[in-house]
Amino acid sequence: MPSANLTSVQQYLKQNYARFLDELCAYVRFPSISAQESHRKDMTACAQWAVQHCRAIGLDSQLHPTAGHPIILVRTPRSGSSPKPHFLVYGHYDVQPPEPLELWESPPFEPHIRNNQLFARGAVDNKGQHFAHLKAVEAYLKTGTELPCDLTFLIEGEEEVGSNHLSDFLKKNRQALRCDAVVISDNGIPDLKHPALTYALRGIAAVVIKLHGPSRDLHSGIFGGSVDNPAMALCQMLAQLRDKRGRIAIPGFYDDVAPLSSYERKQLARVPFSEPAYRKFLGVPQLFGERGFTPIEQRTARPTIEINGLTSGYQGEGSKTIVPAWASAKLTFRLVPNQTLAKARQLITQHLKRICPPTVRLTIDVGHGGEPYLVSPKGAQAQAALRALKAAFGREPVLLREGGSIPIVNDFKQVLGADTLLLGLSLPDDNPHSPNEKFDLECFRRGMLMGAHLWQELSQSR
Ligand code: BES
Ligand code: MN
């Protein structure tokens, strides 16, 4: 194999490409912004559209309401007496808020195609990527080509706000969702010449810390000097959390960090990288990162601390002379195998309490979190995925770790017992979460092809 009968699947994909593009445009027109209450109706409308669309393809499709946004479950027709392998494809129809709107060259929910790129919020993150998988399956069904496996698409509406109701849904539907592997295309590749299997993701631990000083903002001339300034105290604490090269200065934080094997480092070194181009792309005067690691290692395989937001005192026009009553910071730590969320949280809170001066009162809010993820790239399923990538992109794929987090991946392992194969279709300049998000239509085309090959390869890999 790949069997001769994929010819008709491929032909179908080619012949119907223009229609697929129209359909994807219809899908991204829904402003399915999970974070904004005012878009609740658009969320449901979008999910209903997807369900109807899948039904028209001949897929058994259902909408499952949750306390948050609905979950879409789509199944290929189950047939035959002998059990086939079962794979789950995960995606999300919710999108990030489009603001700041003035930076978009075309409105976020009015899809535009320029230079073979589809511009719209949600185009790549994640509607276009799971839509490619759906179209590959449509091609199987409509050409009467037998799928060598059963497939279930699980498309949620809360990925961008923490997947709050998905974990319970998995537990309640454990039996129906039990599968041989999960496939996700919600991540990236370096470029079209380097298709990639991502075998590791970082975890995440979010904390909000607040320092409370005087009971109200004080005149800084009258009182300054006799009371501590919470903003200053916060900066001094934050400055102690990281050394000058980005290593986290919390005792014990690196104890469980698994070193990169020489095989992995060799694989990561195959990823094309130019420091000046990267620097220019990001608009920074110089790169920054932990000594002894390459930039790609630093951003995918090493823990980090980031300040996401820093708030205190007067932010308005002109000046105001005060000692602010409080100061706060939103922090996230990215975690890597074999760190655990529980231990990281404990080390972080313990250390913050230890370094907090007695002149202010500290409160810590433990926010969302997710465990790091790693699956061996040497396993049979990973090898099958690599073959599908090669067939679809016509290039030797690379092995990647990614710095981003998809916390639900660990629930797939814990609840369903399944490993996840991450087969991203996003390019580095696709602007997910940013203005002018786009999906490269060559990635769309190759993604559909990859889907077509994947089920053949994976089904034979058991
Ligand atoms: N798809 C991304 C995560 C991602 C991006 C993984 C690139 C690998 C490569 C996802 O939609 C996302 O943005 N996740 C958040 C998770 C967080 C809110 C819990 C992230 O990584 O910040
Ligand atoms: Mn995202």
Side-chain angles (χ1 to χ4, degrees):
M1 304 262 264
S3 45
N5 59 14
L6 271 192
T7 318
S8 53
V9 167
Q10 281 171 349
Q11 219 163 34
Y12 182 91
L13 291 175
K14 210 179 267 174
Q15 283 164 357
N16 291 276
Y17 176 74
R19 172 172 58 83
F20 296 163
L21 206 49
D22 285 345
E23 292 166 350
L24 178 55
C25 284
Y27 195 18
V28 296
R29 262 187 204 106
F30 290 95
S32 47
I33 308 163
S34 50
Q36 298 174 353
E37 195 48 45
S38 60
H39 286 285
R40 188 165 286 277
K41 280 211 180 84
D42 298 313
M43 289 296 297
T44 310
C46 182
Q48 277 166 345
W49 180 92
V51 164
Q52 287 306 329
H53 186 83
C54 292
R55 279 194 191 142
I57 297 173
L59 294 160
D60 167 13
S61 316
Q62 258 142 18
L63 206 60
H64 295 265
T66 71
H69 299 299
I71 291 169
I72 302 169
L73 213 53
V74 174
R75 291 152 44 95
T76 51
R78 304 298 196 248
S79 65
S81 42
S82 56
K84 291 176 173 177
H86 178 208
F87 301 106
L88 193 72
V89 182
Y90 165 85
H92 61 93
Y93 67 90
D94 65 324
V95 305
Q96 285 273 324
E99 289 81 5
L101 293 173
E102 66 279 10
L103 294 186
W104 285 78
E105 275 172 40
S106 49
F109 298 106
E110 289 172 30
H112 273 70
I113 296 172
R114 300 188 284 275
N115 302 324
N116 208 35
Q117 326 257 333
L118 172 68
F119 285 83
R121 171 58 89 231
V124 71
D125 187 9
N126 164 263
K127 288 170 177 168
Q129 295 197 60
H130 66 258
F131 201 70
H133 283 285
L134 276 173
K135 293 292 113 176
V137 172
E138 174 181 325
Y140 271 90
L141 296 184
K142 295 290 184 188
T143 56
T145 308
E146 194 192 344
L147 266 169
C149 54
D150 291 332
L151 294 177
T152 301
F153 283 81
L154 175 66
I155 304 169
E156 69 152 322
E158 299 187 301
E159 195 274 345
E160 302 292 5
V161 289
S163 299
N164 288 337
H165 299 95
L166 190 55
S167 194
D168 272 354
F169 185 84
L170 294 186
K171 285 176 194 142
K172 283 203 188 98
N173 296 278
R174 196 190 299 258
Q175 229 41 44
L177 297 176
R178 179 150 301 182
C179 58
D180 295 279
V182 181
V183 169
I184 303 182
S185 295
D186 190 20
N187 53 298
I189 54 174
D191 56 48
L192 276 158
K193 292 181 185 153
H194 296 83
L197 169 70
T198 294
Y199 65 94
L201 293 168
R202 287 195 290 190
I204 187 166
V207 287
V208 180
I209 64 175
K210 190 164 178 181
L211 295 188
H212 308 261
S215 57
R216 58 202 179 279
D217 289 357
L218 300 175
H219 189 298
S220 62
I222 298 174
F223 298 102
S226 63
V227 287
D228 202 354
N229 180 310
M232 192 61 86
L234 181 63
C235 291
Q236 287 173 326
M237 278 176 71
L238 294 175
Q240 289 175 57
L241 294 180
R242 194 185 82 170
D243 77 6
K244 288 211 164 65
R245 286 295 296 268
R247 226 181 126 86
I248 297 159
I250 296 177
F253 205 79
Y254 287 80
D255 285 359
D256 300 326
V257 171
L260 275 164
S261 67
S262 58
Y263 172 74
E264 289 183 277
R265 298 191 89 162
K266 228 180 270 164
Q267 291 301 318
L268 288 176
R270 289 175 54 211
V271 177
F273 181 79
S274 143
E275 199 202 294
Y278 188 61
R279 201 168 4 102
K280 201 165 155 222
F281 173 57
L282 299 180
V284 293
Q286 197 180 314
L287 295 185
F288 171 92
E290 193 182 357
R291 206 183 295 272
F293 297 91
T294 65
I296 187 165
E297 291 169 352
Q298 290 164 345
R299 64 168 196 83
T300 66
R302 300 296 297 170
T304 51
I305 173 175
E306 301 296 344
I307 300 174
N308 309 123
L310 200 51
T311 315
S312 181
Y314 181 66
Q315 314 273 336
E317 195 185 347
S319 74
K320 188 181 184 192
T321 48
I322 54 166
V323 176
W326 57 269
S328 81
K330 289 178 193 281
L331 307 180
T332 49
F333 295 77
R334 295 282 169 170
L335 312 175
V336 301
N338 297 314
Q339 293 181 289
T340 65
L341 180 56
K343 185 164 172 200
R345 277 178 174 155
Q346 192 221 333
L347 291 173
I348 293 162
T349 43
Q350 211 176 49
H351 187 66
L352 286 169
K353 285 179 188 161
R354 199 182 307 130
I355 64 172
C356 179
T359 49
V360 288
R361 190 169 53 82
L362 166 71
T363 54
I364 303 172
D365 264 340
V366 173
H368 62 88
E371 306 282 354
Y373 183 73
L374 183 125
V375 60
S376 166
K378 293 184 175 169
Q381 292 179 334
Q383 294 301 313
L386 290 171
R387 287 195 297 276
L389 284 170
K390 184 166 183 191
F393 287 83
R395 299 279 180 158
E396 209 53 59
V398 293
L399 291 174
L400 277 192
R401 282 172 169 246
E402 261 297 357
S405 308
I406 308 179
I408 201 66
V409 162
N410 279 285
D411 294 66
F412 291 141
K413 184 74 188 177
Q414 298 307 318
V415 181
L416 307 178
D419 287 329
T420 294
L421 298 163
L422 291 144
L423 299 167
L425 300 173
S426 171
L427 292 178
D429 64 350
D430 278 351
N431 299 319
H433 298 205
S434 300
N436 303 307
E437 174 177 348
K438 66 162 178 77
F439 187 30
D440 188 292
L441 294 176
E442 187 58 19
C443 289
F444 181 42
R445 217 173 58 76
R446 301 278 178 184
M448 292 189 280
L449 264 184
M450 174 188 73
H453 285 280
L454 185 63
W455 309 125
Q456 301 288 338
E457 296 291 354
L458 264 184
S459 302
Q460 292 166 21
S461 75
R462 283 205 298 184

